Amino acid sequence: MAWYFYAHSDNYDAEIFDTPVDRILKLHPTGLQLSEIAVGMQLFWDTPLGFIIPALNDPLKLAHHIGMFLTASQSAGSFGRSIGSYHALFYMGVIEISTLPLVFVDLFHPKHKPWFQYFKGNDSPSFLQPFNEVCRIAFALSFLVVRGILFPYEVFTRWVPDILHVASLSPEERDGAALPSLYLVLSTSVLFSLLQLHWAVLIAKQLLKKFVGGEKKKV
């Protein structure tokens, strides 16, 4: 969160990245580093494991990993001109806040049978299940706020307008940013927004079921 609010405050960064051209074409060191980390994670960890481990072999998530690699590689400048390293502060940094509680929750998901059996067994610490429940709620709420609200808001009010502005410029003004690259990240960002909204709706339904409809069904 510090990276995000720092980049949006009235300081040195805000003076440099105050136009669409600045935000898309100028390099932000922290955003560039976050993008490089994301490229490595998708290339050497998330995507390969998604194909290798049956429990992680979800077509939608695999598509997300591949899309993330393509988008982050553009921001990192892996295949040419870096595009949108400033925006990476949000999309590669702030957005991962909801992932922190998910890491713990996902570890004890039924799809990971050994961990799930340990979690449900008598030998597990007494605090484990209450802590897991807290993490589940923290994940759901943070996902709804960060990915269900802030993500599409940032995409459609800042990212898309900035990309379209730069795409309308002459090749010289774009400073080496290719139109296919610009339209690629434009397309993936819109698709990612729809995907985040899809997951947010599923999570919202689970929360409603838990806190509103759960007791009624038991009766």
Side-chain angles (χ1 to χ4, degrees):
M1 291 296 284
W3 285 327
Y4 179 68
F5 288 113
Y6 174 78
H8 284 70
S9 61
D10 294 328
N11 52 30
Y12 180 73
D13 275 348
E15 293 177 5
I16 294 178
F17 299 91
D18 58 354
T19 69
V21 174
D22 293 338
R23 291 190 290 269
I24 297 300
L25 299 182
K26 286 189 177 181
L27 297 180
H28 191 290
T30 305
L32 194 63
Q33 185 179 32
L34 288 171
S35 301
E36 292 169 346
I37 293 172
V39 169
M41 286 177 59
Q42 301 305 325
L43 185 60
F44 298 109
W45 189 258
D46 287 350
T47 307
L49 291 183
F51 284 104
I52 295 172
I53 301 177
L56 302 178
N57 192 244
D58 179 86
L60 195 58
K61 289 184 179 179
L62 285 172
H64 175 267
H65 294 329
I66 295 172
M68 268 292 296
F69 168 74
L70 294 174
T71 305
S73 63
Q74 297 299 323
S75 180
S78 302
F79 304 111
R81 179 71 162 79
S82 173
I83 296 174
S85 61
Y86 169 82
H87 284 287
L89 295 170
F90 178 79
Y91 297 110
M92 309 294 175
V94 176
I95 204 68
E96 295 301 335
I97 288 176
S98 63
T99 306
L100 297 177
L102 176 62
V103 171
F104 185 86
V105 172
D106 191 62
L107 180 64
F108 298 105
H109 191 276
K111 64 185 178 183
H112 303 300
K113 292 183 180 179
W115 286 103
F116 180 71
Q117 291 173 355
Y118 170 75
F119 175 70
K120 290 295 186 180
N122 296 327
D123 295 333
S124 63
S126 59
F127 70 86
L128 200 57
Q129 293 196 23
F131 182 69
N132 182 69
E133 188 64 21
V134 170
C135 287
R136 285 170 59 88
I137 296 173
F139 161 69
L141 295 177
S142 61
F143 189 100
L144 290 176
V145 173
V146 177
R147 294 179 180 264
I149 298 175
L150 290 181
F151 190 101
Y153 175 81
E154 283 287 319
V155 166
F156 292 109
T157 64
R158 293 174 61 84
W159 175 252
V160 169
D162 283 357
I163 288 290
L164 290 177
H165 175 82
V166 173
S168 69
L169 301 176
S170 66
E172 292 76 16
E173 292 174 309
R174 293 200 305 270
D175 192 27
L179 284 178
S181 297
L182 291 169
Y183 288 126
L184 170 64
V185 295
L186 176 67
S187 302
T188 55
S189 66
V190 172
L191 291 174
F192 283 150
S193 293
L194 297 176
L195 184 59
Q196 303 302 327
L197 290 172
H198 167 70
W199 283 335
V201 169
L202 295 179
I203 291 173
K205 288 181 178 179
Q206 289 297 318
L207 283 176
L208 289 174
K209 181 179 178 181
K210 179 177 180 61
F211 293 106
V212 178
E215 295 298 324
K216 293 181 180 179
K217 289 187 177 181
K218 290 181 181 178
V219 176

